[in-house]
Amino acid sequence: MNRKKPSARARKTRLRPAGRAVRITVGGVVQGVGFRPFLYRLADRLGYKGWVKNFGSGVKIHLESKKKTDFGPFLRALEEDKPPLVRIESLDLRPANYQGSSGFKIKKSEEGESFVFISPDIATCRACRREIADPEERRYRYPFTNCTDCGPRYTIVRSLPYDRPKTTMAGFDMCRDCRREYEDPADRRYHAQPIACPVCGPRVTLKEAQGGKWIPGGIEAAADLIRKGRILAVKGLGGFHVVCDPRRPGAVRRLRVIKKRQRKPFALMARDISTIEQYAYICPAERRALLSAGRPIVLLRKKKDIPGISPHLDEIGFMLPYTPLHHLLLEKLSLIVATSSNPKDAPIAKDEKEGIGRLCDFILTHDRPIQTRADDSVLKLAGDGPLFLRRARGYVPYPQRVPAHLHISEHILALGGELKDTVSVYKNGYVITSQFLGDLDEYQNYRYFEETIAHLERLFDVRPRVVVSDLHPHFRTTRYAQRLGLPHFKVQHHYAHVLAVLLEHQVPAGRKVLGVAFDGYGYGQDGGAWGGEFLLSDYSSFTRIAHFKPVPLPGGDRAAREPWRMALAYLREAYGEEVPPLPSLEKVDRKSRDLITNMISSGINSPLTSSCGRLFDAVSYLVGLAPVEVEFEAEAPLRLEAVSRRNIKASYPYELLTDREPWQLSFAATIREIVRDVSRKVPPERTGAAFHHTLAAAIASVSERVREVHGIATVALVGGVFLNKTLLTLASQRLQKKGFEVLRPGQYSPNDESISLGQVAYALARLKGRR
């Protein structure tokens, strides 16, 4: 629970208010999570009378007693025994007039200005799973079973307060039995807005993808089709999965052709933990993540490879079933491919009309509409905490509290960057960050971006007075901001990365940190292509204290798709015109190599870049791991990390040039040593590990120099490169051994998904500073 620590006087007032009645207002994730029935049962057990009701900003409680003046037991139990999905962000308690209530009642929700937090979609709870498996229960094998502890939330809500008429369940009238459960405060389905049963709720339909012919048998028939090698689209909470049997190579190959996805990994959904353990190693923290209410995809180290699922990598993504439909589908299958049902680079499909028939043979669908599309969240474990690759279903829209010194009354809209975009809204001291929206250079993703802004503003009653975007003048988000006609702040990309961590970790005003921001690209203040940055930062400003020595980016964006170009650029930086012959360069025809060499020499279409991501591309290609052309972002660095043995501690030389600011890190000596190792046929496992140690050492070296000169002992590791668990771990360990405090994103991704959060922090500091 996040709130200010009360003073001793406030604590005394809270536990022993004067009089026989109190009014309690609770804010946070308190609607749609069983909070009101919990309060009803609590008041009844402790002998208090009064009422509780939802309102636009949370829950109001009126508590009274003829005899008791001590409300402490109720307040302590409210915090200690609350339902698992409840997150209390604020609690206000005041004396109230005694009303002479005859009992404790749950009142009808109060309309009004809305800023209550809604729970994410939650995986099916144990009690509901037992019902689905019990032939004596009326919801036996019903695929939409849910209660106040589980089921859809964010993806079905249209507006707040969170009541059934304001969700996509509004069109389903409750039968007598469901109505009885819904209205019984002692029932775990009391005011469970998605409540349903086979008599009155949504229904599953199986049909042919082409023509729509109905197929009898429902989920059981769908499982049979998957076992036979067919590809199905299956409707879940935030959209459709495309599903096949991963142990049928023909089905996997065909799915790759349909999705135009030659090598990018597929995620798997497994029936249970024991199934996952056949194919991957699971540590206790990873087990907890897999079984958590958010049910993310967790990247695990391979134990046994499944051909075609995660080629050239040492990790494989698994998740467990999170809806009753998934549990029923996996009863006989045990393991399926479950990838988003979208054409390449488009958003996940939430409706059959969005062309999913082109991706599959059959469609297993249902008639409960999806209001808000949301992909599966993806994470790995680094140390004891999550490292998000994608934050979406199961985690959005949990709020982020803002440090008290940044609180303002104005509402803010932050638009993020261009790739891996999210948007964030600020209101009343909290930030809500959207689910992953994808790359906005794809038209359908841009429509998704607009759809999400409209939904967040409507859902949380946000009326922006300021809009924030990236510094890049040509990003679609920048142009969108300009069209709004609002005061418009622009924030440098890597500075926004650092600010996001400051906000998440509640760093106080005036405290400076060294932000180490490593990624593929961000528009610099000088108009250059930044990406290997060391920024002295606080909420008000930053200084670029150091960066990677820039090298040419031959062909601009094309160099990010063809890593051999960056290999040539770094070879020219290290050797001049006498580039040594290497086996990996022979994969590219001589004419193309000469063309790129001439581009580098003449500076034609070869802007300079300090990108750490492009250095990874170059090294991965030089050691023979990266393909001539990558299929997906970070494919080359992922291959390099996959082979890098963690028990090798060798490193390569590098040079920190400090004759003038900003300082520069040169990796020319690193490249020469790597070339020497490749020529001596040193395996990529050794060169890859040594390269990771070199980068970690360079980070520590710059940090120590900054501490000597500026007295800063806190380092924030941000940017997409720090999704590399090996580098993140090595750098953190080196820094901590040298006495540094290390900050990194915990509840957000280090990649560009966190940009909009950092943009909010920038706007808050700017607006606060004007007062």
Side-chain angles (χ1 to χ4, degrees), residues 406 408 412 414 466-469 471 488-492 495-496 499-500 503 525 538-542 755-770:
L406 291 177
I408 62 171
I412 297 170
V466 172
V467 63
V468 200
S469 74
L471 189 63
H488 178 196
F489 295 148
K490 299 178 183 178
V491 191
Q492 199 282 321
Y495 182 39
L499 288 173
L503 195 67
Q525 283 187 316
D538 59 17
Y539 290 107
S540 61
S541 65
F542 78 94
I755 290 291
S756 66
L757 180 66
Q759 290 172 346
V760 168
Y762 178 83
L764 290 170
R766 284 285 302 274
L767 293 170
K768 195 76 172 179
R770 291 178 177 178

Side-chain angles (χ1 to χ4, degrees), residues 410-543:
E410 291 94 335
H411 300 179
I412 297 170
L413 170 64
L415 303 176
E418 184 87 343
L419 305 179
K420 292 182 171 56
D421 197 46
T422 64
V423 297
S424 291
V425 293
Y426 166 84
K427 180 180 175 181
N428 296 358
Y430 289 90
V431 183
I432 304 292
T433 298
S434 76
Q435 67 276 24
F436 163 84
L437 302 176
D439 298 347
L440 301 190
D441 54 2
E442 206 282 331
Y443 174 71
Q444 288 178 290
N445 283 335
Y446 185 76
R447 293 292 302 273
Y448 183 21
F449 160 82
E450 294 180 311
E451 171 187 305
T452 302
I453 292 172
H455 183 60
L456 289 177
E457 289 183 349
R458 180 177 64 253
L459 189 63
F460 298 109
D461 195 21
V462 173
R463 299 170 186 136
R465 293 295 177 262
V466 172
V467 63
V468 200
S469 74
D470 192 86
L471 189 63
H472 198 299
H474 302 306
F475 275 1
R476 288 162 182 79
T477 46
T478 306
R479 295 199 291 265
Y480 181 93
Q482 291 166 342
R483 291 195 298 270
L484 291 180
L486 296 171
H488 178 196
F489 295 148
K490 299 178 183 178
V491 191
Q492 199 282 321
H493 184 92
H494 301 97
Y495 182 39
H497 270 305
V498 179
L499 288 173
V501 172
L502 299 188
L503 195 67
E504 180 183 349
H505 288 271
Q506 305 287 295
V507 172
R511 179 180 168 191
K512 286 189 178 292
V513 306
L514 175 63
V516 182
F518 287 180
D519 61 8
Y521 170 78
Y523 187 81
Q525 283 187 316
D526 58 3
W530 292 10
E533 310 304 315
F534 297 82
L535 308 179
L536 285 178
S537 306
D538 59 17
Y539 290 107
S540 61
S541 65
F542 78 94
T543 300

Side-chain angles (χ1 to χ4, degrees), residues 352-396:
E352 295 162 55
K353 298 176 183 177
E354 296 179 355
I356 61 170
R358 298 191 296 269
L359 303 175
C360 59
D361 304 313
F362 298 91
I363 301 172
L364 183 64
T365 187
H366 58 75
D367 54 351
R368 183 179 67 202
I370 296 171
Q371 174 66 26
T372 302
R373 66 187 88 222
D375 284 280
D376 297 312
S377 294
V378 184
L379 59 83
K380 61 177 82 172
L381 273 295
D384 292 331
L387 185 61
F388 278 92
L389 285 78
R390 184 169 71 201
R391 180 179 175 269
R393 177 197 53 76
Y395 297 89
V396 173

Side-chain angles (χ1 to χ4, degrees), residues 494 514-518 526 529-535 543-551 570 608-612 655-657 660-667 702:
H494 301 97
L514 175 63
V516 182
F518 287 180
D526 58 3
W530 292 10
E533 310 304 315
F534 297 82
L535 308 179
T543 300
R544 192 189 193 197
I545 191 67
H547 59 81
F548 285 14
K549 185 178 180 182
V551 297
Y570 268 99
L608 295 177
T609 181
S610 59
S611 169
C612 183
E655 190 175 7
L656 176 58
L657 308 172
R660 61 179 181 178
E661 289 190 2
W663 310 328
Q664 292 192 356
L665 273 171
S666 172
F667 293 97
V702 174

Side-chain angles (χ1 to χ4, degrees), residues 523-724:
Y523 187 81
Q525 283 187 316
D526 58 3
W530 292 10
E533 310 304 315
F534 297 82
L535 308 179
L536 285 178
S537 306
D538 59 17
Y539 290 107
S540 61
S541 65
F542 78 94
T543 300
R544 192 189 193 197
I545 191 67
H547 59 81
F548 285 14
K549 185 178 180 182
V551 297
L553 187 69
D557 288 345
R558 194 165 177 181
R561 299 191 297 272
E562 299 177 7
W564 63 271
R565 293 173 179 245
M566 289 311 302
L568 271 177
Y570 268 99
L571 288 171
R572 288 294 297 259
E573 171 71 15
Y575 290 96
E577 295 184 3
E578 299 298 322
V579 173
L582 289 169
S584 58
L585 292 179
E586 297 303 316
K587 299 175 185 177
V588 182
D589 64 88
R590 185 57 181 266
K591 183 178 179 181
S592 296
R593 297 202 310 268
D594 289 345
L595 175 64
I596 297 306
T597 299
N598 290 334
M599 286 174 62
I600 294 170
S601 299
S602 63
I604 296 174
N605 194 22
S606 297
L608 295 177
T609 181
S610 59
S611 169
C612 183
R614 301 293 77 81
L615 174 60
F616 262 99
D617 290 346
V619 173
S620 183
Y621 193 82
L622 289 172
V623 301
L625 294 172
V628 172
E629 183 172 1
V630 298
E631 179 193 345
F632 57 94
E633 186 185 26
E635 182 179 7
L638 283 170
R639 291 192 182 195
L640 184 64
E641 185 189 7
V643 304
S644 299
R645 291 179 181 169
R646 276 62 167 175
N647 60 348
I648 296 172
K649 296 184 178 180
S651 62
Y652 295 121
Y654 60 90
E655 190 175 7
L656 176 58
L657 308 172
T658 59
D659 52 325
R660 61 179 181 178
E661 289 190 2
W663 310 328
Q664 292 192 356
L665 273 171
S666 172
F667 293 97
T670 309
I671 296 297
R672 288 192 290 269
E673 288 298 315
I674 289 172
V675 169
R676 188 174 292 115
D677 277 352
V678 170
S679 301
R680 293 192 302 232
K681 294 185 169 32
V682 174
E685 291 84 352
R686 297 189 67 87
T687 52
F691 174 67
H692 282 83
H693 277 281
T694 302
L695 275 184
I699 292 168
S701 178
V702 174
S703 300
E704 286 188 287
R705 187 62 186 268
V706 168
R707 182 166 58 185
E708 291 171 9
V709 176
H710 298 279
I712 293 172
T714 301
V715 180
L717 303 177
V718 298
V721 166
F722 287 107
L723 288 171
N724 182 318

